[in-house]
Amino acid sequence: MAFALPVWLAVQEELLAGNGEADNATPTCFDDFDDEALFQMFHLTRPCIAFITDTIRVRMKSTSVKKPTLPVEASVSSLVMVALNYYAQGVSHADISQRVSRNQTDCFAIISTVSGVIAGMADAFISFPQIREARANVAFKIEKLCGIPNVLGVVAPAHFKIRASPYEKETFRSFVNTLGYTSVVSQIICDSDGNILSVEKCCAGSTFEQEMWETSFKGREMEEDLHGANWIIAGKGYHLSKHVLTPVSEPVDYKDISFNDAHAKIHNVMRTTLGIIKRRFRCLMQLGFAQEGSMDKKSNIIKACCVLHNIAKKFSVPPPPAAGRIEPLHPGKQRSAPVESNPEALLARQELINKFFSRAPKNQEPQSKDITEDEDV
């Protein structure tokens, strides 16, 4: 996991070297808000916003990103303000957008540009454990939480609502997901602390989870043994393999049930993480129309919010209060024909269960309830 502090120091070093002026050293448009209003408007704290603004400024200078064409000169902090406001609220507030331009088209251009810049920062802030020590640290924390060893993260499809016209039947059907609404879906991996370790793809909501996994960079890396003899926790929409660990679909004894309990415990971390991301960045509750812009633009917004989520966690920024029930993780899309399980993978999972979940719970009868997934999944 990439840490904010070293990156922050690198940003400050570049700023002090003359690549820009830090917003926390000179007045910015964010100074017009007190701390409470700042959090309500952007769902972030002042130090976190200052860090984000400085990092974007350096990134824009070092990668020759062109600022959107505006009728008046706008500072980087103003551009960041428009984008952060949109991420947090799902709409651009008039008093925010008017600080930069009175033209709504300009605001869309700003959001698109800043989203591309932040998405490009994923290499610094979204990091899958690559070295042995990092893998051991992630696996240790997951085993401490649920008892399953050698796990590098939890993978799940993250669905984000969009609008699609029912009159365009083929397009409409391709975006309808397993919960019955139209969406785009990305593949996300997180650790036991809710840090995003990987975000890939941006597909129509009806895409099979297994298809995303097999065509993703992380999926190919895992299955080609590039990350060692480790597992990724996954739900029933994925196939059990030598590196993808799914729950037992038909538990027969207390060992299977204990394993499924442990699997559900770590799998539920993803549900909580996605709930927090959608609470902090309400733009993800509705990403516009299917035909509006390209998938790349939607992908940039999703990835930008994941980057900002990790930064917010490093600054210990609390999420805004929950508004309603957390959406369940999506049940796996079932194929019409049953999929045969890999015999070697079945044996490896059973050996894991026998080794780590063979101790019968004290004063507790084996449960008959199938708990392969969370209650709401």
Side-chain angles (χ1 to χ4, degrees):
M1 179 63 204
F3 290 90
L5 182 57
V7 181
W8 168 254
L9 294 175
V11 169
Q12 292 304 311
E13 184 178 348
E14 289 198 52
L15 292 172
L16 293 173
N19 289 331
E21 295 182 358
D23 268 356
N24 58 1
T26 57
T28 75
C29 52
F30 291 105
D31 296 336
D32 296 340
F33 300 88
D34 61 31
D35 289 347
E36 182 178 354
L38 198 73
F39 186 81
Q40 289 179 352
M41 190 65 73
F42 306 102
H43 296 164
L44 298 167
T45 58
R46 195 175 303 279
C48 185
I49 290 174
F51 171 70
I52 292 166
T53 304
D54 291 344
T55 307
I56 291 175
R57 177 184 293 105
V58 170
R59 192 81 177 197
M60 292 180 77
K61 286 181 176 294
S62 64
T63 58
S64 66
V65 176
K66 293 183 179 179
K67 294 182 183 179
T69 302
L70 300 174
V72 294
E73 181 64 25
S75 65
V76 171
S77 61
S78 296
L79 304 182
V80 173
M81 173 177 281
V82 170
L84 293 185
N85 176 240
Y86 167 74
Y87 299 148
Q89 305 299 331
V91 295
S92 297
H93 284 203
D95 58 334
I96 298 294
S97 59
Q98 286 175 4
R99 292 168 179 264
V100 180
S101 172
R102 297 181 182 276
N103 189 331
Q104 191 68 21
T105 302
D106 289 338
C107 290
F108 291 146
I110 291 168
I111 293 165
S112 178
T113 299
V114 175
S115 296
V117 174
I118 300 176
M121 291 157 48
D123 57 349
F125 295 99
I126 298 178
S127 177
F128 196 79
Q130 300 289 341
I131 62 175
R132 181 180 299 176
E133 291 78 8
R135 292 172 188 159
N137 182 53
V138 172
F140 172 78
K141 289 184 177 181
I142 290 177
E143 184 173 5
K144 186 176 180 181
L145 174 67
C146 68
I148 304 177
N150 305 321
V151 175
L152 296 184
V154 185
V155 65
H159 285 263
F160 306 101
K161 292 181 180 180
I162 61 166
R163 296 188 180 95
S165 172
Y167 297 105
E168 299 177 12
K169 294 183 179 180
E170 290 304 317
T171 300
F172 182 81
R173 278 197 290 266
S174 70
F175 284 100
V176 177
N177 63 30
T178 48
L179 292 186
Y181 63 80
T182 51
S183 69
V184 292
V185 57
S186 292
Q187 176 182 282
I188 290 181
I189 300 175
C190 76
D191 65 13
S192 58
D193 294 323
N195 297 300
I196 303 300
L197 305 180
S198 173
V199 54
E200 289 189 58
K201 319 289 281 184
C202 185
C203 311
S206 65
T207 306
F208 287 98
E209 291 89 333
Q210 184 64 24
E211 179 183 333
M212 285 195 294
W213 174 253
E214 291 174 352
T215 58
S216 68
F217 291 111
K218 279 295 166 283
R220 290 196 294 266
E221 288 177 2
M222 289 295 297
E223 299 301 345
E224 292 172 5
D225 295 322
L226 298 185
H227 295 284
N230 295 295
W231 301 93
I232 291 290
I233 295 291
K236 62 183 180 181
Y238 296 83
H239 299 170
L240 176 68
S241 74
K242 62 181 178 180
H243 293 296
V244 176
L245 192 58
T246 59
V248 178
S249 58
E250 297 180 1
V252 296
D253 55 24
Y254 69 84
K255 290 186 294 184
D256 291 347
I257 291 173
S258 296
F259 168 75
N260 279 357
D261 277 337
H263 187 284
K265 187 172 186 179
I266 182 61
H267 197 234
N268 197 52
V269 172
M270 177 62 81
R271 179 191 177 199
T272 302
T273 299
L274 292 180
I276 289 173
I277 291 175
K278 289 182 179 182
R279 279 160 54 191
R280 191 185 303 281
F281 307 113
R282 292 175 185 165
C283 66
L284 297 177
M285 301 297 288
Q286 177 51 255
L287 280 175
F289 288 90
Q291 298 81 5
E292 192 177 68
S294 67
M295 280 290 196
D296 287 342
K297 291 184 178 180
K298 290 177 172 53
S299 178
N300 279 345
I301 291 175
I302 293 167
K303 187 173 287 188
C305 290
C306 289
V307 168
L308 295 175
H309 165 79
N310 280 0
I311 293 175
K313 284 185 65 63
K314 290 306 177 186
F315 278 85
S316 301
V317 182
R325 177 175 171 270
I326 297 177
E327 180 180 314
L329 291 178
H330 288 245
K333 187 177 180 183
Q334 302 300 305
R335 295 186 181 273
S336 55
V339 178
E340 291 188 11
S341 297
N342 183 323
E344 293 182 4
L346 282 170
L347 178 61
R349 184 178 65 182
Q350 194 57 52
E351 289 177 347
L352 182 150
I353 292 173
N354 291 340
K355 183 175 181 180
F356 293 94
F357 297 93
S358 60
R359 182 177 298 177
K362 296 180 180 179
N363 303 321
Q364 181 177 338
E365 294 296 326
Q367 302 177 44
S368 59
K369 182 180 179 181
D370 186 342
I371 51 174
T372 59
E373 296 288 341
D374 297 331
E375 291 289 338
D376 295 323
V377 175

Short mmCIF file of all heavy atoms in Angstrom, two decimals, residues 220-255:
data_model
loop_
_atom_site.label_atom_id
_atom_site.label_comp_id
_atom_site.label_asym_id
_atom_site.label_seq_id
_atom_site.Cartn_x
_atom_site.Cartn_y
_atom_site.Cartn_z
N ARG A 220 -4.67 -11.88 -14.33
CA ARG A 220 -3.64 -12.61 -15.07
C ARG A 220 -2.37 -12.77 -14.24
O ARG A 220 -1.73 -13.82 -14.25
CB ARG A 220 -3.33 -11.90 -16.39
CG ARG A 220 -4.48 -12.00 -17.41
CD ARG A 220 -3.99 -11.65 -18.80
NE ARG A 220 -3.58 -10.25 -18.91
CZ ARG A 220 -4.37 -9.28 -19.33
NH1 ARG A 220 -5.64 -9.54 -19.66
NH2 ARG A 220 -3.93 -8.04 -19.41
N GLU A 221 -2.00 -11.71 -13.52
CA GLU A 221 -0.80 -11.79 -12.68
C GLU A 221 -0.94 -12.87 -11.60
O GLU A 221 -0.02 -13.65 -11.37
CB GLU A 221 -0.54 -10.44 -12.01
CG GLU A 221 -0.03 -9.36 -12.95
CD GLU A 221 0.14 -8.02 -12.26
OE1 GLU A 221 -0.11 -7.93 -11.03
OE2 GLU A 221 0.54 -7.07 -12.94
N MET A 222 -2.11 -12.92 -10.95
CA MET A 222 -2.34 -13.91 -9.90
C MET A 222 -2.30 -15.31 -10.47
O MET A 222 -1.63 -16.20 -9.93
CB MET A 222 -3.68 -13.65 -9.20
CG MET A 222 -3.71 -12.43 -8.31
SD MET A 222 -2.61 -12.52 -6.86
CE MET A 222 -3.31 -13.92 -5.97
N GLU A 223 -3.03 -15.54 -11.55
CA GLU A 223 -3.13 -16.89 -12.10
C GLU A 223 -1.82 -17.35 -12.73
O GLU A 223 -1.60 -18.55 -12.92
CB GLU A 223 -4.27 -16.96 -13.13
CG GLU A 223 -5.65 -16.63 -12.55
CD GLU A 223 -6.09 -17.54 -11.41
OE1 GLU A 223 -5.49 -18.62 -11.21
OE2 GLU A 223 -7.05 -17.19 -10.71
N GLU A 224 -0.94 -16.42 -13.05
CA GLU A 224 0.38 -16.78 -13.58
C GLU A 224 1.44 -16.86 -12.49
O GLU A 224 2.64 -16.90 -12.76
CB GLU A 224 0.81 -15.76 -14.65
CG GLU A 224 -0.05 -15.82 -15.92
CD GLU A 224 0.26 -14.68 -16.89
OE1 GLU A 224 1.21 -13.90 -16.61
OE2 GLU A 224 -0.43 -14.56 -17.90
N ASP A 225 0.97 -16.89 -11.23
CA ASP A 225 1.85 -17.08 -10.06
C ASP A 225 2.85 -15.96 -9.85
O ASP A 225 3.91 -16.16 -9.23
CB ASP A 225 2.62 -18.41 -10.16
CG ASP A 225 1.71 -19.63 -10.12
OD1 ASP A 225 0.73 -19.60 -9.35
OD2 ASP A 225 1.96 -20.59 -10.86
N LEU A 226 2.53 -14.75 -10.33
CA LEU A 226 3.45 -13.63 -10.17
C LEU A 226 3.41 -13.04 -8.77
O LEU A 226 4.26 -12.23 -8.42
CB LEU A 226 3.14 -12.53 -11.20
CG LEU A 226 3.30 -12.93 -12.68
CD1 LEU A 226 3.07 -11.73 -13.59
CD2 LEU A 226 4.67 -13.54 -12.94
N HIS A 227 2.41 -13.45 -7.96
CA HIS A 227 2.30 -12.94 -6.59
C HIS A 227 2.41 -14.06 -5.57
O HIS A 227 1.92 -13.95 -4.45
CB HIS A 227 0.99 -12.17 -6.41
CG HIS A 227 0.92 -10.92 -7.24
ND1 HIS A 227 1.61 -9.77 -6.92
CD2 HIS A 227 0.26 -10.65 -8.39
CE1 HIS A 227 1.37 -8.84 -7.83
NE2 HIS A 227 0.57 -9.35 -8.74
N GLY A 228 3.06 -15.15 -5.97
CA GLY A 228 3.33 -16.25 -5.03
C GLY A 228 2.11 -17.12 -4.78
O GLY A 228 1.05 -16.98 -5.40
N ALA A 229 2.28 -18.02 -3.82
CA ALA A 229 1.22 -18.99 -3.49
C ALA A 229 0.23 -18.35 -2.52
O ALA A 229 0.12 -18.76 -1.35
CB ALA A 229 1.84 -20.25 -2.90
N ASN A 230 -0.48 -17.36 -3.01
CA ASN A 230 -1.43 -16.63 -2.17
C ASN A 230 -2.81 -16.63 -2.81
O ASN A 230 -2.98 -16.94 -3.99
CB ASN A 230 -0.95 -15.19 -1.97
CG ASN A 230 0.34 -15.12 -1.19
OD1 ASN A 230 0.39 -15.48 -0.02
ND2 ASN A 230 1.42 -14.66 -1.83
N TRP A 231 -3.80 -16.27 -1.99
CA TRP A 231 -5.19 -16.27 -2.42
C TRP A 231 -5.73 -14.85 -2.55
O TRP A 231 -5.22 -13.92 -1.92
CB TRP A 231 -6.09 -16.99 -1.40
CG TRP A 231 -5.78 -18.41 -1.10
CD1 TRP A 231 -4.99 -18.87 -0.09
CD2 TRP A 231 -6.28 -19.57 -1.77
NE1 TRP A 231 -4.96 -20.24 -0.09
CE2 TRP A 231 -5.75 -20.70 -1.11
CE3 TRP A 231 -7.12 -19.76 -2.86
CZ2 TRP A 231 -6.04 -22.00 -1.50
CZ3 TRP A 231 -7.42 -21.06 -3.26
CH2 TRP A 231 -6.88 -22.16 -2.59
N ILE A 232 -6.80 -14.73 -3.32
CA ILE A 232 -7.67 -13.56 -3.31
C ILE A 232 -9.06 -14.05 -2.92
O ILE A 232 -9.56 -15.04 -3.49
CB ILE A 232 -7.74 -12.88 -4.70
CG1 ILE A 232 -6.40 -12.23 -5.05
CG2 ILE A 232 -8.85 -11.83 -4.75
CD1 ILE A 232 -6.06 -10.99 -4.24
N ILE A 233 -9.68 -13.41 -1.95
CA ILE A 233 -11.03 -13.78 -1.52
C ILE A 233 -12.04 -13.27 -2.55
O ILE A 233 -11.97 -12.11 -2.97
CB ILE A 233 -11.36 -13.19 -0.14
CG1 ILE A 233 -10.46 -13.80 0.94
CG2 ILE A 233 -12.83 -13.37 0.21
CD1 ILE A 233 -10.73 -15.25 1.24
N ALA A 234 -12.99 -14.12 -2.94
CA ALA A 234 -13.99 -13.72 -3.93
C ALA A 234 -15.34 -14.36 -3.63
O ALA A 234 -15.41 -15.39 -2.94
CB ALA A 234 -13.53 -14.12 -5.34
N GLY A 235 -16.40 -13.75 -4.14
CA GLY A 235 -17.75 -14.26 -3.96
C GLY A 235 -18.12 -15.31 -4.99
O GLY A 235 -17.31 -15.75 -5.80
N LYS A 236 -19.40 -15.70 -4.99
CA LYS A 236 -19.84 -16.83 -5.80
C LYS A 236 -19.89 -16.51 -7.30
O LYS A 236 -20.08 -17.42 -8.10
CB LYS A 236 -21.22 -17.30 -5.34
CG LYS A 236 -22.33 -16.25 -5.47
CD LYS A 236 -23.62 -16.80 -4.91
CE LYS A 236 -24.76 -15.79 -5.03
NZ LYS A 236 -26.01 -16.31 -4.47
N GLY A 237 -19.71 -15.24 -7.69
CA GLY A 237 -19.67 -14.91 -9.10
C GLY A 237 -18.34 -15.26 -9.75
O GLY A 237 -18.20 -15.19 -10.97
N TYR A 238 -17.37 -15.66 -8.93
CA TYR A 238 -16.04 -16.02 -9.42
C TYR A 238 -15.85 -17.53 -9.33
O TYR A 238 -16.52 -18.21 -8.55
CB TYR A 238 -14.95 -15.32 -8.61
CG TYR A 238 -14.98 -13.81 -8.74
CD1 TYR A 238 -15.84 -13.04 -7.97
CD2 TYR A 238 -14.14 -13.15 -9.63
CE1 TYR A 238 -15.88 -11.66 -8.09
CE2 TYR A 238 -14.16 -11.77 -9.76
CZ TYR A 238 -15.03 -11.04 -8.98
OH TYR A 238 -15.08 -9.67 -9.10
N HIS A 239 -14.92 -18.06 -10.13
CA HIS A 239 -14.63 -19.49 -10.10
C HIS A 239 -13.50 -19.77 -9.12
O HIS A 239 -12.50 -19.06 -9.10
CB HIS A 239 -14.21 -19.98 -11.49
CG HIS A 239 -15.25 -19.79 -12.55
ND1 HIS A 239 -15.00 -19.98 -13.89
CD2 HIS A 239 -16.55 -19.43 -12.46
CE1 HIS A 239 -16.10 -19.73 -14.58
NE2 HIS A 239 -17.05 -19.39 -13.74
N LEU A 240 -13.67 -20.82 -8.34
CA LEU A 240 -12.60 -21.27 -7.47
C LEU A 240 -11.40 -21.66 -8.33
O LEU A 240 -11.53 -22.35 -9.32
CB LEU A 240 -13.07 -22.48 -6.65
CG LEU A 240 -12.02 -23.15 -5.75
CD1 LEU A 240 -11.63 -22.24 -4.61
CD2 LEU A 240 -12.55 -24.49 -5.23
N SER A 241 -10.22 -21.17 -7.96
CA SER A 241 -9.00 -21.53 -8.69
C SER A 241 -7.86 -21.62 -7.68
O SER A 241 -8.07 -21.47 -6.48
CB SER A 241 -8.69 -20.48 -9.77
OG SER A 241 -8.18 -19.29 -9.18
N LYS A 242 -6.65 -21.84 -8.18
CA LYS A 242 -5.52 -21.98 -7.27
C LYS A 242 -5.20 -20.67 -6.56
O LYS A 242 -4.44 -20.67 -5.58
CB LYS A 242 -4.29 -22.50 -8.02
CG LYS A 242 -3.79 -21.59 -9.12
CD LYS A 242 -2.57 -22.20 -9.81
CE LYS A 242 -2.08 -21.32 -10.96
NZ LYS A 242 -0.89 -21.91 -11.63
N HIS A 243 -5.75 -19.54 -7.03
CA HIS A 243 -5.50 -18.26 -6.39
C HIS A 243 -6.78 -17.50 -6.03
O HIS A 243 -6.69 -16.41 -5.45
CB HIS A 243 -4.62 -17.38 -7.28
CG HIS A 243 -3.23 -17.91 -7.45
ND1 HIS A 243 -2.34 -18.01 -6.41
CD2 HIS A 243 -2.56 -18.38 -8.53
CE1 HIS A 243 -1.19 -18.51 -6.83
NE2 HIS A 243 -1.30 -18.75 -8.13
N VAL A 244 -7.93 -17.99 -6.39
CA VAL A 244 -9.20 -17.35 -6.06
C VAL A 244 -9.95 -18.25 -5.09
O VAL A 244 -10.28 -19.40 -5.42
CB VAL A 244 -10.05 -17.10 -7.32
CG1 VAL A 244 -11.42 -16.52 -6.94
CG2 VAL A 244 -9.33 -16.14 -8.27
N LEU A 245 -10.21 -17.73 -3.90
CA LEU A 245 -10.81 -18.53 -2.84
C LEU A 245 -12.27 -18.12 -2.65
O LEU A 245 -12.57 -17.02 -2.19
CB LEU A 245 -10.03 -18.32 -1.53
CG LEU A 245 -10.33 -19.28 -0.38
CD1 LEU A 245 -10.09 -20.73 -0.79
CD2 LEU A 245 -9.46 -18.93 0.83
N THR A 246 -13.17 -19.02 -3.01
CA THR A 246 -14.61 -18.79 -2.90
C THR A 246 -15.17 -19.58 -1.73
O THR A 246 -14.54 -20.53 -1.25
CB THR A 246 -15.32 -19.19 -4.20
OG1 THR A 246 -15.07 -20.58 -4.45
CG2 THR A 246 -14.82 -18.37 -5.38
N PRO A 247 -16.38 -19.25 -1.25
CA PRO A 247 -16.98 -20.02 -0.15
C PRO A 247 -17.43 -21.40 -0.62
O PRO A 247 -17.59 -21.64 -1.81
CB PRO A 247 -18.18 -19.16 0.26
CG PRO A 247 -18.53 -18.40 -0.97
CD PRO A 247 -17.23 -18.11 -1.66
N VAL A 248 -17.62 -22.29 0.34
CA VAL A 248 -18.14 -23.63 0.03
C VAL A 248 -19.63 -23.49 -0.25
O VAL A 248 -20.39 -23.01 0.60
CB VAL A 248 -17.90 -24.60 1.21
CG1 VAL A 248 -18.50 -25.97 0.91
CG2 VAL A 248 -16.41 -24.71 1.51
N SER A 249 -20.06 -23.89 -1.44
CA SER A 249 -21.45 -23.67 -1.84
C SER A 249 -22.43 -24.54 -1.07
O SER A 249 -23.56 -24.12 -0.79
CB SER A 249 -21.61 -23.92 -3.35
OG SER A 249 -21.20 -25.24 -3.68
N GLU A 250 -22.01 -25.75 -0.68
CA GLU A 250 -22.88 -26.65 0.08
C GLU A 250 -22.11 -27.21 1.27
O GLU A 250 -21.60 -28.34 1.23
CB GLU A 250 -23.39 -27.79 -0.82
CG GLU A 250 -24.27 -27.31 -1.97
CD GLU A 250 -24.76 -28.45 -2.84
OE1 GLU A 250 -24.44 -29.62 -2.52
OE2 GLU A 250 -25.47 -28.19 -3.82
N PRO A 251 -22.01 -26.44 2.36
CA PRO A 251 -21.24 -26.90 3.53
C PRO A 251 -21.86 -28.15 4.14
O PRO A 251 -23.09 -28.25 4.27
CB PRO A 251 -21.32 -25.70 4.48
CG PRO A 251 -22.51 -24.93 4.04
CD PRO A 251 -22.61 -25.11 2.57
N VAL A 252 -21.02 -29.10 4.52
CA VAL A 252 -21.53 -30.38 5.03
C VAL A 252 -21.22 -30.59 6.51
O VAL A 252 -21.82 -31.46 7.15
CB VAL A 252 -20.96 -31.56 4.21
CG1 VAL A 252 -21.44 -31.48 2.78
CG2 VAL A 252 -19.43 -31.58 4.27
N ASP A 253 -20.28 -29.84 7.07
CA ASP A 253 -19.95 -30.02 8.48
C ASP A 253 -19.49 -28.70 9.08
O ASP A 253 -19.46 -27.67 8.41
CB ASP A 253 -18.88 -31.10 8.66
CG ASP A 253 -17.62 -30.83 7.85
OD1 ASP A 253 -17.36 -29.64 7.52
OD2 ASP A 253 -16.88 -31.78 7.53
N TYR A 254 -19.13 -28.76 10.37
CA TYR A 254 -18.77 -27.53 11.08
C TYR A 254 -17.52 -26.89 10.48
O TYR A 254 -17.35 -25.67 10.55
CB TYR A 254 -18.58 -27.81 12.58
CG TYR A 254 -17.37 -28.65 12.90
CD1 TYR A 254 -16.10 -28.09 13.04
CD2 TYR A 254 -17.50 -30.03 13.08
CE1 TYR A 254 -15.00 -28.85 13.35
CE2 TYR A 254 -16.39 -30.81 13.38
CZ TYR A 254 -15.15 -30.22 13.51
OH TYR A 254 -14.06 -30.98 13.80
N LYS A 255 -16.62 -27.69 9.90
CA LYS A 255 -15.41 -27.13 9.30
C LYS A 255 -15.77 -26.22 8.12
O LYS A 255 -15.24 -25.10 8.00
CB LYS A 255 -14.47 -28.24 8.85
CG LYS A 255 -13.83 -29.03 9.97
CD LYS A 255 -12.81 -30.03 9.43
CE LYS A 255 -13.49 -31.12 8.61
NZ LYS A 255 -12.51 -32.16 8.18
#
